[in-house]
Amino acid sequence: MPRITMRDNKKIYYEIYGDKKNPVLFVLNGIMMSTLSWKDFIEKFTKFFRLVLVDFRDQGQSDYMEEQYDIKIHSEDLNEMVEKLDFSKINILGLSYGGQVAEIFAIEHHEKVQSLVLANTVGRINSYLSELGEAWKEAANTGDGEKFFKLAIPFIYSDYFYNNNLEWLKRRQKTFKKLLTEKWFEGFKRLASSNTEFNIIDEVHKISAPTLLLASDKDIITPLEEVNELHKRIPDNEYIIIKNAGHASVLEKPKEFLTAVIGFVLKNN
């Protein structure tokens, strides 16, 4: 289990797959995800990329924190990882919360970014997202994985997906009951509190890497109106909207998601 020790002695867990000759693709998780979330995608990505999966602090197999921090800490961690793994330039796929980290990194360390994919991501936390985050933290306070699923997850998937995959979702709900521990809930609440002041909408014009914006027409968490703002402001971007999908487009429409990501990154390497 490879882990890199950060400047404050916290350890960040990562996994690397694929041929060293291929372009490097870092994948940055959504807030409820971990490296394990990508297990079904590894084979597809490694046909084209040197794939690096990462758990943020308070996620998966990385170290958990004792006190609150700001989301920018993950960008600093990513920079240390890139340097210690001796990568000169990387491609980044950031999903939701991971996309926010990717935006920060692409602004602060633009010379290290070959291409950038922002999937279901915004450039600021508006009032609605702020209140949604508070609701998620209240759901986490139950300490019950099944209750958390019932209260938090319907926001993430589209009504289209719920109407066509209810049995799968119910099975997943039972899995949450078994997997979500007190440690997970405490880490999740710190993650959800780390971006309450996140607003770089007036800085995204500094992103110089070719950027793909992936959005979904039924995403109420990162709605099209907010992604449109990124589209207006990031200088070199392409914009794809996945139809009949919500915030979890990677799970709802995996073929469309992968085709868009792989095609864009390959084109820019």
Side-chain angles (χ1 to χ4, degrees):
M1 293 192 299
R3 298 170 65 172
I4 292 180
T5 302
M6 296 291 110
R7 58 211 168 275
D8 58 355
N9 291 320
K10 292 293 183 181
K11 293 180 172 60
I12 301 299
Y13 175 82
Y14 69 100
E15 299 173 1
I16 297 185
Y17 302 91
D19 195 320
K20 292 181 179 179
K21 297 178 182 178
N22 287 339
V24 176
L25 177 64
F26 268 74
V27 176
L28 305 183
N29 299 325
I31 197 169
M32 298 181 192
M33 301 174 76
S34 70
T35 53
L36 185 61
S37 304
W38 299 96
K39 62 182 179 64
D40 294 334
F41 298 89
I42 292 171
E43 182 179 352
K44 296 177 180 67
F45 275 133
T46 51
K47 288 179 181 178
F48 308 98
F49 307 120
R50 178 77 162 155
L51 181 68
V52 185
L53 304 178
V54 182
D55 284 335
F56 292 131
R57 296 167 185 248
D58 278 329
Q59 273 189 345
Q61 298 182 66
S62 286
D63 280 354
Y64 280 61
M65 303 288 281
E66 295 79 34
E67 57 188 33
Q68 189 56 55
Y69 48 86
D70 185 84
I71 188 172
K72 289 184 179 180
I73 199 171
H74 305 307
S75 175
E76 296 167 13
D77 290 342
L78 179 58
N79 189 47
E80 282 197 53
M81 291 190 70
V82 170
E83 291 183 351
K84 290 181 178 179
L85 293 172
D86 199 27
F87 295 133
S88 57
K89 275 202 168 187
I90 63 171
N91 303 278
I92 306 175
L93 163 59
L95 182 61
S96 189
Y97 182 92
Q100 294 171 25
V101 176
E103 289 170 337
I104 296 168
F105 185 84
I107 291 169
E108 295 182 345
H109 304 285
H110 58 88
E111 74 284 354
K112 296 178 180 177
V113 183
Q114 181 70 28
S115 72
L116 180 66
V117 179
L118 302 175
N120 301 96
T121 299
V122 294
R124 60 190 170 194
I125 299 297
N126 59 23
S127 297
Y128 175 78
L129 266 179
S130 177
E131 288 302 300
L132 181 59
E134 292 302 313
W136 279 352
K137 285 184 277 187
E138 287 296 321
N141 282 334
T142 67
D144 183 306
E146 192 166 6
K147 288 181 180 178
F148 179 81
F149 191 101
K150 288 179 179 179
L151 293 169
I153 301 305
F155 293 102
I156 294 175
Y157 295 97
S158 65
D159 57 345
Y160 180 89
F161 190 78
Y162 256 86
N163 289 335
N164 289 280
N165 298 276
L166 188 58
E167 288 187 13
W168 180 85
L169 287 159
K170 290 296 185 183
R171 290 195 298 271
R172 195 166 176 83
Q173 180 175 304
K174 297 294 184 184
T175 303
F176 270 48
K177 178 76 172 178
K178 297 176 183 177
L179 294 181
L180 302 195
T181 63
E182 180 180 355
K183 177 182 177 182
W184 187 94
F185 284 119
E186 291 305 311
F188 170 78
K189 285 188 286 186
R190 284 188 293 270
L191 285 164
S193 298
S194 70
N195 66 345
T196 55
E197 303 297 321
F198 177 78
N199 187 343
I200 58 168
I201 199 67
D202 292 329
E203 297 180 65
V204 295
H205 69 276
K206 299 176 184 176
I207 295 175
S208 57
T211 301
L212 173 63
L213 302 173
L214 264 183
S216 307
D217 62 349
K218 293 179 177 289
D219 186 351
I220 64 172
I221 297 176
T222 53
L224 296 182
E225 291 82 1
E226 288 296 323
V227 183
N228 289 342
E229 289 299 316
L230 295 178
H231 181 48
K232 293 176 188 175
R233 296 167 189 248
I234 295 175
D236 181 7
N237 78 81
E238 296 181 24
Y239 188 6
I240 295 176
I241 299 173
I242 299 176
K243 302 294 185 182
N244 290 320
H247 191 61
S249 61
V250 64
L251 297 177
E252 296 182 54
K253 296 292 184 74
K255 290 182 180 179
E256 292 180 33
F257 187 96
L258 285 170
T259 298
V261 172
I262 291 170
F264 180 81
V265 176
L266 287 178
K267 183 174 69 174
N268 288 284
N269 277 267

